[in-house]
């Protein structure tokens, strides 16, 4: 897949910003309890703002007590082994968020996090991602540890700013 060049301003609505159509069979695989708690990902937008990757996800409903959302951002540089690069996971519950680099917990202030009823926005400093040239990024929702919905993984290319 060719990398997407990360825009330097917020995309409004376009195919590149990520509109998702879910397979109708997904709901058929869920139990009645899971269907009642289902939180889908309706849209994901990613853009660069100064030295941050901004990931905004619109959800089908607010996160509930047992439902979480995770934003994944893995940095890549050609001059550093991928295994040594940070692999960030920002987990948002209905009250707070946590930040991890693989299994290592980081301070919540590593990223900026904001939420509205149906939208989560995470601002990840590129420095926290190892000043990447490229990144892999995605958003998932979970009921406990069980996945509910996910956005496709994207390969993002960061063009040096002038």
């Amino acid at each position: 897949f060719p990398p997407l060049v990360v825009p330097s301003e917020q995309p409004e609505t376009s195919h590149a910003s990520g509109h998702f159509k879910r397979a109708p069979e997904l709901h058929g695989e869920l139990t009645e309890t899971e269907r009642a708690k289902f939180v889908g990902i309706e849209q994901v937008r990613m853009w660069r703002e100064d030295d941050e990757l901004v990931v905004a996800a619109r959800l089908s409903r607010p996160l509930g007590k047992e439902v979480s959302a995770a934003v994944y951002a893995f940095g890549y540089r050609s001059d550093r082994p991928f295994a040594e690069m940070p692999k960030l996971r920002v987990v948002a519950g209905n009250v707070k968020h946590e930040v991890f680099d693989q299994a290592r917990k980081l301070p919540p202030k590593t990223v900026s996090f904001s939420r509205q009823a149906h939208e989560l926005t995470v601002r990840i400093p590129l420095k926290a991602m190892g000043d990447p040239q490229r990144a892999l990024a995605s958003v998932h929702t979970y009921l406990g540890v069980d996945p509910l919905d996910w956005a496709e993984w994207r390969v993002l290319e960061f063009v040096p700013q002038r």
Side-chain angles (χ1 to χ4, degrees), residues 4-107:
L4 296 171
V5 174
V6 180
S8 58
E9 52 188 56
Q10 180 177 351
E12 290 302 321
T13 54
S14 71
H15 180 67
S17 69
H19 293 272
F20 303 101
K21 293 185 179 173
R22 296 293 172 224
E25 63 271 8
L26 175 64
H27 279 284
E29 295 176 11
L30 300 175
T31 67
E32 197 165 319
T33 302
E34 290 170 331
R35 273 196 296 277
K37 296 177 181 180
F38 182 82
V39 176
I41 299 168
E42 294 184 342
Q43 181 185 40
V44 174
R45 297 180 319 276
M46 298 179 187
W47 69 96
R48 180 180 183 164
E49 201 167 290
D50 299 322
D51 288 328
E52 296 179 318
L53 170 63
V54 183
V55 180
R58 188 172 63 224
L59 306 174
S60 61
R61 62 197 295 177
L63 295 174
K65 190 167 89 172
E66 300 172 45
V67 178
S68 63
V71 173
Y72 296 91
F74 303 165
Y76 169 81
R77 292 187 60 85
S78 61
D79 59 353
R80 196 166 158 197
F82 183 67
E84 294 177 11
M85 292 293 290
K87 292 163 188 74
L88 300 182
R89 176 173 44 106
V90 181
V91 180
N94 68 336
V95 176
K96 63 179 184 168
H97 75 280
E98 297 178 304
V99 183
F100 298 88
D101 179 359
Q102 298 186 47
R104 184 171 57 102
K105 193 169 184 178
L106 301 175

Side-chain angles (χ1 to χ4, degrees), residues 43-48 52-58 70-73 90 112-114 119-124 129 136-139 151 154 156:
Q43 181 185 40
V44 174
R45 297 180 319 276
M46 298 179 187
W47 69 96
R48 180 180 183 164
E52 296 179 318
L53 170 63
V54 183
V55 180
R58 188 172 63 224
V71 173
Y72 296 91
V90 181
S112 298
F113 177 82
S114 64
E119 185 151 316
L120 305 173
T121 303
V122 178
R123 295 173 169 277
I124 304 169
M129 295 173 58
L136 295 170
S138 184
V139 179
R154 299 184 192 170
L156 308 171

